[in-house]
Amino acid sequence: DEKEYNNQITSEIRKEIKESRFVVADLTQQRGGVYYEAGYAAGMGKDVIFCCDKADSQNVHFDVAQINTIHWKDAKDLYSKLKERIRETMKE
């Protein structure tokens, strides 16, 4: 929301994904755009770190339900778990 650009948002998102080492996809509330962006990143061979609020985890789409996902209960829990997952992802 705070970045200035001239492209359409989808083009800008694809550009950012191409330049990224990995992508974090929060599946909370099942927003279709997140699934699109995660799929695009995975198709490009990028690591995708999935996370979802525990209270909404039963709603994760079946296509990604088998992927190791960070289930968090609050912002502090998410921060801690995401920090560790990023650390391990960067080792690969």
Side-chain angles (χ1 to χ4, degrees):
D1 294 357
E2 298 173 8
K3 181 178 180 183
E4 295 298 326
Y5 59 91
N6 289 321
N7 302 326
Q8 294 178 353
I9 187 64
T10 306
S11 298
E12 192 65 20
I13 289 169
R14 286 193 304 256
K15 176 181 158 285
E16 293 289 333
I17 290 170
K18 286 178 186 176
E19 295 172 358
S20 298
R21 163 64 177 83
F22 60 87
V23 171
V24 176
D26 184 4
L27 303 175
T28 306
Q29 298 181 352
Q30 314 312 303
R31 294 176 312 276
V34 174
Y35 285 91
Y36 170 83
E37 294 156 10
Y40 183 78
M44 294 193 65
K46 305 289 183 175
D47 288 315
V48 179
I49 300 171
F50 288 99
C51 58
C52 186
D53 185 330
K54 279 185 183 180
D56 192 37
S57 62
Q58 72 280 359
N59 296 317
V60 171
H61 196 272
F62 72 90
D63 287 336
V64 296
Q66 77 283 357
I67 297 172
N68 187 14
T69 301
I70 296 170
H71 297 282
W72 50 272
K73 58 185 175 188
D74 56 34
K76 184 178 178 182
D77 187 39
L78 175 60
Y79 176 81
S80 173
K81 290 176 177 178
L82 190 54
K83 182 177 167 183
E84 184 59 30
R85 184 68 61 88
I86 290 170
R87 184 177 298 132
E88 290 301 316
T89 299
M90 296 303 291
K91 286 181 184 178
E92 298 173 3

